[in-house]
Structure formats: C-alpha cells, structure tokens
Amino acid sequence: MNTFFRSTFKSLFIALLLSLPVSTLLAGEGMWIPLLLSALNESEMKAMGMKMSADDIYNVNKGSLKDAIVHFSGFCTGEVISNQGLLLTNHHCGYGTIQSHSTLENNYLKDGFWAKSKAEEIPSPGLYAKFIVRIEDVTDKVFDGVRDKMTTTEIDSIQKVNIRSLQSEIETTAYQDTEIRSFFEGNQYFLFVTETYTDIRYVGSPPESIGKFGSDTDNWVWPRHTGDFALFRIYAGPDNKPAPYAEENIPYTPKHFLPVSLDGIEEGDFTLVFGFPGTTQQYLPSFAVQQIVDIIDPARIAVRDISLDIMKRYMVADEAIKLAYSSKYATISNYWKKWIGEIQGLKKANAVRMKEKQEEEFTALISKNKKLKAKYENLLPELKVLYRDLDIVAKNRTILGEVLGGRNTEVFRLASYADRLYRAYSQHGAEGQPYLETKDATKERLEGFFKDYSAEVDAELFSAMMVHLVNHLDSEYLPDGIPKARDEHTLHQWASALFEQSSLSDKDSFLQAIEKGGDAYAEWIQSDSLYQLYLSLRGVYNDKLAVYNRALYEKIDPLQTAYVTALMEAYPDRRFWPDANGTLRVSYGLVEPFSPKDGLMYKTQTYLDGVMEKYIPGDYEFDVHPKLIELYENGDFGPYGEDGKMPVCFIASNHSTGGNSGSPAIDASGNLIGLNFDRVWEGTMSDLYYDRSICRNIMVDARYILFVIDKFGGAGNLIEEMKLVHPKS
Ligand code: ARG
Ligand code: ASP
C-alpha cells in the first residue's frame, strides 16, 4: 500500500462517519470494532431494538460489557458471569482440557463434572483469559514517515520501526501487554492493551451426551440440541491482578460481569454477539472464491474423508481409542464439514456470480472517473492473472499440505519432532543449549503425544494417505522412492512395510534414541526410511509449491490492499467492516427464522422434546443420560422452562466465525441470553460471503445452561453466585 491510498482512506473514513444514514437496517452482516460503535452502528442498533448505548458496550473509564469478555486461550471466547470470576465458554472450547483431566475411570467427558466448592476446582495450566483494557486507533503513527512512491518493502520496514517504538512508548503496567494489529488489509491500525490471567481452573461441564449431543452428525446443523457449555474460573493474585498459578490465588473480581436473563427470546428480538472472531475473507474477488469452491475445498475434503473414515471405524470399536482420538477426530471433522457446507452455500447464494457482478459494477464506476480509472483500472485484471497462476499449484499444495500437516497421519508429526531435534543437534552440537532444550521439549511432547496415540490406527492412516498422494498429486510432485504404480495393493504393501520398519511410532525406541543422544540419535533418525520420505515430501512442498505460492502472494497482497482502498473510494457512502483478525468485535442481528431451501422453513428455537426425538439408546452420538430423561418426563424444569417446555438452542442473524465460539449472546439491555457455539451449515460460507437469507449463528439458550447446571448437575452453588434477571417483566 502507498500513502496515496492511505490519505484518501483517512478522509473517506471520516466522511463515512459523518454521512452515515440513521437507520439502514442492514443488520446481520459485519463484525464491528467496539471503539467505533457510536460512530458507525449505534443508531442502527437502537433502531433494531437495542436499549443500551455504545458506551455501555465499550467504555474505558467505567465497567462496560467489554470487561466481561475474554479471549479464551487464543482460540475461543469466554465471558465472566459472576463477581467471582466464573467463566462461561463452550464445551468444545474446554474439550482438550476436560479430556486431559479425564481417565477411563474418572471420565469427565463421559460423565461430566461439577465442582461443589472452590476447593474442587481443577487447575488447568495452558489455559488463559485475556481481557482488552483499551483500544486506540494508531493508524497515523504507524504511517508516520511513509511517503508516496515508496516501495512495499520500504513501507513495511518504516512501519515495523514505528510499531516497535509505539509499543515501547505505550504506558502499561507490568501485567499488561500491547498488540498493534492491521485492519482493512493494512489500511488501518489499532492498538490493544491487554491483561492476561493464566490461573484458570476447571469448574464444571455436562457429560458429552449433553455438551456434545449430536456430535459430528449434528455439528454445523440446525435444528440443534447441544448443551455446548463448560465453566471455568479466573483466579488472580491477592491484588486481583494476573498472577501465575498458586494455590492461594483468589477468584478474580471483574470490572463487569453479565447478568443472566431468565426471560428467553422471541422472534424479532435484538441480539448481540461479543467476542474474538478469527478469520474472514470478504474482500476476496470472485475468481479467488471460485478457486476455493472448485479446487481448494474439494482437495481438503477428499483427504479428510479418508482419515475420518478410518479413525471412526476404530473409535466405534474401542472405548480407549475413542477417548484418545475424540478430540483429534472432532478437530479434523469440524472444518471438513464446514468446507462441505461452504461449497454448497456459495453455490446456492451464487456467490461467484454475485461477486462478478459487483466487480463489473465497480469497473464500470471507476471507468467513469478519471482519477479512479488511472489508479485502479488494472487492479482486478492483474489480480485475476495472479490467481490463475495460483490455480496451477493450488490442488497439489492443498493435498500435500493436508497430508504433511500431521493430522491425517500422525507419524509425520512424529517425523517433524524428530527432525527439529536432529537439526538442533547438527547445528549446535551435543553440548549446545538449543539442542539440550529441544531434547527436553521433545521428551515432554512425546509423553503427551503417545498418551493419545495408536500406532495401529496410524499405520492404516499412513498407508491410505500414500495411496491418495500417488493417485492425486501430479507426478512431478511425487518424490523418488514412492512407487508410481497406481495399483492399490502394491502401494499398501509398500506403505505398511515402511511404517513397520520405522521406529518413529514406537515410544520406547524414540525415547531411547533421544536418551542416547548425539551421534547415536543422528544415526537412528537418519536410517529411518519413513523419516527420509517425510523429508523428501517436505522438500517438494517447500521447494516446488510453497516458494511458488509465496512469490505470487508477494504480488497479490499489495493488490488486495489496494482493492479494499479502491472499494472505499469508489463507494464513499458505503459502510465497511474490517475482516475478522482475532480481535474483539461486536456483531448484532435479530432472532429470525430462515428458509434453507424451497418449501422449508427453520424455526428459531429448539426444545428438549427435540433431544428426545433424536434419542437413540446406546448410540455413539445420540444417547441421552437417564437423569435428563427423568427430568424431561417429569417436566422438572424449575424456573428455567417456558410454558411447560425446556428451551435448548436458538438462532439469530449475528455474523460470526471460528473464534466466536463461547461468545455471549446478549439481549437489548446487556444480559446473557445465550452462548454462541456454531453456525448453520447452509450459511458457513459467511466467512467469504455473507447472505442474511441463509446465514445464522447457533446459540445454547441461557435457560438450558442454568437448567443443566442446577437440575441436572445439582450444582446450585454455581447458580447462587450468578445474577439472574427478568429484563422483560
Ligand atoms: N462447528 C463448531 C465450531 O466450529 C463446533 C465444533 C465442535 N464440535 C464438533 N463436533 N466438532 O467450532
Ligand atoms: N464453532 C465455531 C468456533 O469454535 C464458531 C463458528 O465457526 O461459527 O469458534
């Protein structure tokens, strides 16, 4: 980007703030920056029914909603729901932690867990809760010294220096951190001051049959009946500030916590989702979306089809393998299913054609304006050529990336651990500090890894992946050593023998080799043919595919930046939102039904009756706990039911994405009404193209959460510390 784009951007942005229509009722689309709500969104939000002000949501001088929201361990969102630091997030966000505390005898995944007192809460190292203290627009400072006609590299290096000096100037206390992040593809920069608490303890969660009810079959699907929640607690030092774990740490007193509404939702209600959405790519041009639909998504899906099939077969047959593989399986299947939905949604919404039309309109518009034409005429045509060049390697890169990533066959993950240690040794020698550190780290990693590993499953995965590579990679990307024969039997035999000979998947041999260390380790790893195969495949990936890709992206990135600037210049009256980038955002919408296909209408709320409709006794995904059946049959819903029924989940048109899991759904007055955990399958393409007619987020109804904690879990102690409210009456 150059200053030319930049200065225009700044004035445009200001013009935009001033000229915003009072109520456009766009709703739904957008993940907005909390700092800018009063300028960009407040009037629309109020028109949609919000009773709060932008100030109640984000304020640095007094407690506001933002003080109840945390980035949960970097991958999810959580919210504080009591004045004792009780933290609510999704079951699937706490899954790895819950699993790590579980054994076959004490299986919290299977049976659930409720701490009946603070002494029973389980320390969970590795988790953290990051609060946003304040946000500041630092665009001018980051662009200080950037001049017209500078090259991208020159601009980058000036900005790096500016960012570094900005960070050192910002006044923070010892327990605070700062982050400076780019928005609108580098058109704008914001600074975040954060506070991170690391003493997080596991407080409770329902059994999987509630917290993950419907599992992978129902994942991304509406109607949904999952109680996808878990509870943690933030602990602080005696001064209420972040402190490393210590038994005597105290429950954190928040600046603000969310009251929980007992009044539920109705169609048309205003809802707000507040959290840390990870990534969206709304400014991709039509041909980039086409590449995702035609090449990238199908290639990823095909690899995962294979690994999921194999894992599932073993998991269904063996309880220990189920426990070991459940988290890994869920991770692979989650995006596998999302991509399938994404393709379908993009096709249904005719997204590529719609984007083409927008591009045609843009091109026509700029061609009427001399200045814009001069600057941007070649932008889209150039991008198109570059994306066509990417097409050439997209399939091979995607397939090989998936296979080498260490998820679809884990022996490649082992190979990468081994390789890191080997390189530390060959570069720094047996006495070198990096080698000694890597040695310890690898031993620790292997302990964790082998706890959840079956070489039998992995041997089959490896073999299947090799067959897939031979059948689907273009032959120039198949390294020597892999038989080129497409005869599956021969390939399987070759792959099984290779796996069998390798000692990577054998914990004892691996650890012994590390223990011997030095040259003995080097000899051990160098003589492993599976490791050698890993190196050749990785060599192909790096030297032939990644290099090519990177070179193209060096040209694409600045053009994408310019494209965003160009759109803003071409449409000065339009309101733009920056793509999700893992920073704190607000989305808002309405509780509204939708039609996934002709003749079918999806209602907004599900009930416990639906759990019973889906109930399959003893089933892997749809079993129901006897206690829940009993509560259902007796209609024993306490104060949480609604007209004799127990609400479970609901949908609304809040724009959300990965990372928004665990985000609170907040009502018009700032109370918790639900817990965001998913989107409807038909609308998962909202990461690339939002269409309000089919995009919905899915939330657990807050009343179901309370019901499960209280009536099912018997953890009244937790209900007592919350603030339950009746905002509607
Ligand atoms: N689809 C939701 C999200 O992307 C939930 C995933 C967890 N559940 C599962 N069955 N994998 O995170
Ligand atoms: N389930 C997602 C998450 O974990 C949310 C989404 O993609 O809608 O963040």
Side-chain angles (χ1 to χ4, degrees):
M1 210 206 35
N2 66 35
T3 43
F4 198 46
F5 299 136
R6 193 11 242 135
S7 52
T8 334
F9 175 82
K10 184 81 183 182
S11 45
L12 272 173
F13 199 70
I14 291 164
L16 206 69
L17 300 190
L18 299 175
S19 69
L20 204 76
V22 181
S23 146
T24 38
L25 275 188
L26 271 170
E29 174 164 3
M31 300 174 183
W32 304 93
I33 302 175
L35 180 67
L36 303 179
L37 290 179
S38 60
L40 290 176
N41 313 92
E42 189 180 34
S43 57
E44 182 186 63
M45 294 166 97
K46 285 189 168 160
M48 288 169 63
M50 184 175 80
K51 298 195 184 94
M52 301 175 280
S53 66
D55 224 31
D56 296 324
I57 300 173
Y58 175 86
N59 189 316
V60 290
N61 300 315
K62 62 168 196 184
S64 55
L65 288 187
K66 76 130 172 66
D67 296 308
I69 316 298
V70 303
H71 207 177
F72 183 76
S73 308
F75 53 79
C76 276
T77 303
E79 52 277 356
V80 184
I81 55 165
S82 88
N83 62 1
Q84 301 171 47
L86 188 62
L87 191 68
L88 177 67
T89 187
N90 290 138
H91 187 269
H92 80 260
C93 297
Y95 204 85
T97 305
I98 304 172
Q99 187 207 24
S100 74
H101 295 312
S102 296
T103 57
L104 277 178
E105 300 74 48
N106 236 341
N107 193 336
Y108 301 142
L109 284 178
K110 188 156 176 273
D111 305 321
F113 168 75
W114 307 100
K116 295 288 156 60
S117 72
K118 299 212 172 66
E120 290 179 19
E121 297 175 356
I122 308 177
S124 301
L127 293 183
Y128 65 82
K130 187 195 276 183
F131 288 91
I132 303 300
V133 179
R134 65 184 179 86
I135 308 173
E136 188 184 323
D137 184 346
V138 292
T139 314
D140 285 342
K141 294 174 182 159
V142 172
F143 276 90
D144 190 29
V146 174
R147 303 272 170 267
D148 278 348
K149 305 213 175 71
M150 282 182 171
T151 64
T152 318
T153 330
E154 284 168 331
I155 295 175
D156 275 355
S157 69
I158 292 186
Q159 291 188 331
K160 273 201 191 106
V161 174
N162 287 346
I163 288 177
R164 226 174 293 131
S165 79
L166 242 173
Q167 257 171 329
S168 63
E169 277 166 29
I170 297 296
E171 278 189 40
T172 53
T173 43
Y175 47 85
Q176 294 182 330
D177 290 304
T178 56
E179 287 166 26
I180 292 168
R181 304 291 302 274
S182 134
F183 290 71
F184 290 113
E185 322 265 344
N187 276 293
Q188 210 173 7
Y189 285 82
F190 283 90
L191 163 96
F192 296 82
V193 176
T194 62
E195 275 176 23
T196 304
Y197 287 78
T198 52
D199 183 351
I200 308 295
R201 303 187 195 172
Y202 170 44
V203 172
S205 60
E208 267 189 299
S209 59
I210 290 175
K212 202 184 166 182
F213 182 72
S215 194
D216 298 299
T217 300
D218 266 13
N219 190 22
W220 301 110
V221 166
W222 187 255
R224 187 64 155 276
H225 299 88
T226 314
D228 192 346
F229 78 93
L231 292 160
F232 292 85
R233 191 184 303 281
I234 304 174
Y235 278 78
D239 53 358
N240 203 39
K241 301 288 183 257
Y245 170 79
E247 206 187 321
E248 60 279 12
N249 279 350
I250 52 165
Y252 167 70
T253 309
K255 287 200 207 82
H256 183 78
F257 67 90
L258 301 178
V260 186
S261 166
L262 281 168
D263 286 350
I265 48 100
E266 280 166 87
E267 249 179 69
D269 277 359
F270 173 85
T271 57
L272 181 156
V273 164
F274 207 174
F276 293 85
T279 315
T280 56
Q281 296 175 287
Q282 53 161 332
Y283 295 110
L284 285 185
S286 56
F287 32 86
V289 174
Q290 182 96 54
Q291 183 179 75
I292 293 175
V293 176
D294 291 345
I295 305 175
I296 298 180
D297 278 355
R300 294 156 153 171
I301 293 166
V303 172
R304 294 189 180 201
D305 273 339
I306 299 169
S307 56
L308 288 169
D309 258 2
I310 295 173
M311 287 187 190
K312 177 76 165 276
R313 192 159 20 86
Y314 282 95
M315 285 165 70
V316 170
D318 183 330
E319 189 71 17
I321 292 185
K322 179 181 170 190
L323 183 59
Y325 276 72
S326 51
S327 188
K328 300 192 269 199
Y329 182 92
T331 304
I332 301 172
S333 97
N334 193 33
Y335 268 63
W336 163 80
K337 196 161 177 185
K338 191 203 104 150
W339 293 321
I340 298 174
E342 186 167 272
I343 296 178
Q344 287 174 9
L346 289 169
K347 286 188 176 161
K348 181 174 159 72
N350 220 350
V352 172
R353 185 62 206 127
M354 297 303 280
K355 287 213 161 210
E356 274 169 5
K357 277 197 195 150
Q358 291 166 3
E359 288 154 15
E360 284 156 16
E361 195 195 289
F362 165 81
T363 307
L365 194 94
I366 61 164
S367 71
K368 285 192 219 121
N369 177 320
K370 243 194 192 155
K371 245 168 87 184
L372 292 182
K373 186 171 177 200
K375 276 197 285 181
Y376 301 127
E377 192 178 30
N378 297 324
L379 198 59
L380 282 170
E382 277 177 30
L383 269 173
K384 190 166 186 169
V385 170
L386 291 166
Y387 272 100
R388 286 291 88 91
D389 288 345
L390 270 185
D391 277 352
I392 299 170
V393 295
K395 182 193 75 175
N396 291 293
R397 200 179 61 86
T398 307
I399 296 176
L400 201 50
E402 270 291 318
V403 173
L404 282 174
R407 281 202 174 117
N408 294 290
T409 171
E410 291 182 287
V411 74
F412 282 152
R413 184 184 300 255
L414 289 165
S416 76
Y417 295 162
D419 184 55
R420 216 172 302 166
L421 182 58
Y422 172 71
R423 276 183 296 132
Y425 170 67
S426 54
Q427 283 162 22
H428 304 276
E431 301 308 318
Q433 199 55 27
Y435 168 67
L436 297 172
E437 276 167 22
T438 314
K439 195 170 164 180
D440 288 342
T442 309
K443 281 197 274 189
E444 207 182 306
R445 213 174 256 148
L446 291 181
E447 286 302 334
F449 178 92
F450 281 109
K451 176 174 176 279
D452 295 326
Y453 181 72
S454 153
E456 191 190 353
V457 178
D458 204 24
E460 194 167 334
L461 287 169
F462 174 73
S463 188
M465 289 301 132
M466 292 307 108
V467 173
H468 189 74
L469 289 188
V470 173
N471 286 332
H472 296 276
L473 279 191
D474 296 338
S475 55
E476 58 189 296
Y477 301 111
L478 280 175
D480 298 338
I482 294 191
K484 306 280 183 300
R486 293 195 177 206
D487 153 36
E488 285 208 9
H489 181 70
T490 316
L491 280 169
H492 273 299
Q493 264 185 340
W494 162 80
S496 310
L498 194 64
F499 194 95
E500 195 60 35
Q501 278 163 24
S502 165
S503 38
L504 283 169
S505 62
D506 181 59
K507 183 180 172 188
D508 292 338
S509 320
F510 204 147
L511 285 173
Q512 270 165 26
I514 296 179
E515 225 33 82
K516 280 188 202 144
D519 280 345
Y521 174 75
E523 246 163 66
W524 172 77
I525 191 60
Q526 286 302 334
S527 64
D528 195 296
S529 337
L530 207 154
Y531 169 74
Q532 293 300 344
L533 175 72
Y534 165 77
L535 289 186
S536 347
L537 284 169
R538 205 184 58 184
V540 169
Y541 184 84
N542 288 341
D543 303 340
K544 293 196 176 163
L545 297 164
V547 168
Y548 179 86
N549 219 53
R550 215 173 305 124
L552 284 171
Y553 269 105
E554 265 164 35
K555 294 183 189 150
I556 290 175
D557 287 340
L559 292 177
Q560 275 291 158
T561 306
Y563 183 42
V564 175
T565 323
L567 284 171
M568 289 175 155
E569 287 180 34
Y571 301 100
D573 292 334
R574 207 177 270 176
R575 188 174 50 165
F576 292 88
W577 58 277
D579 267 319
N581 60 355
T583 60
L584 184 62
R585 302 293 178 91
V586 170
S587 318
Y588 51 96
L590 302 174
V591 174
E592 38 183 349
F594 79 106
S595 173
K597 53 176 128 175
D598 187 36
L600 196 60
M601 201 66 194
Y602 279 168
K603 292 186 183 178
T604 52
Q605 177 99 62
T606 58
Y607 297 93
L608 200 51
D609 309 65
V611 172
M612 297 309 295
E613 280 170 9
K614 287 178 177 172
Y615 174 36
I616 306 172
D619 184 69
Y620 186 72
E621 300 184 298
F622 292 100
D623 201 6
V624 180
H625 197 286
K627 178 136 185 224
L628 191 61
I629 300 179
E630 190 188 314
L631 289 165
Y632 171 74
E633 283 174 351
N634 297 333
D636 188 2
F637 306 141
Y640 314 114
E642 176 190 281
D643 305 328
K645 286 159 76 112
M646 186 63 236
V648 174
C649 291
F650 67 99
I651 48 170
S653 51
N654 300 294
H655 197 175
S656 58
T657 187
N660 266 128
S661 274
S663 297
I666 294 171
D667 70 1
S669 332
N671 307 299
L672 185 88
I673 44 173
L675 178 64
N676 187 72
F677 71 103
D678 211 358
R679 279 171 283 163
V680 301
W681 208 33
E682 295 80 0
T684 53
M685 89 300 189
S686 65
D687 289 345
L688 301 166
Y689 182 82
Y690 182 89
D691 178 345
R692 184 167 161 193
S693 69
I694 51 173
C695 293
R696 293 290 178 277
N697 65 317
I698 307 181
M699 293 145 285
V700 195
D701 194 301
R703 292 166 295 177
Y704 190 53
I705 297 176
L706 297 172
F707 161 79
V708 171
I709 296 175
D710 189 357
K711 298 302 247 178
F712 178 86
N717 55 314
L718 298 173
I719 303 286
E720 259 162 46
E721 63 176 282
M722 301 177 198
K723 181 174 166 193
L724 306 187
V725 293
H726 282 286
K728 285 189 174 175
S729 46

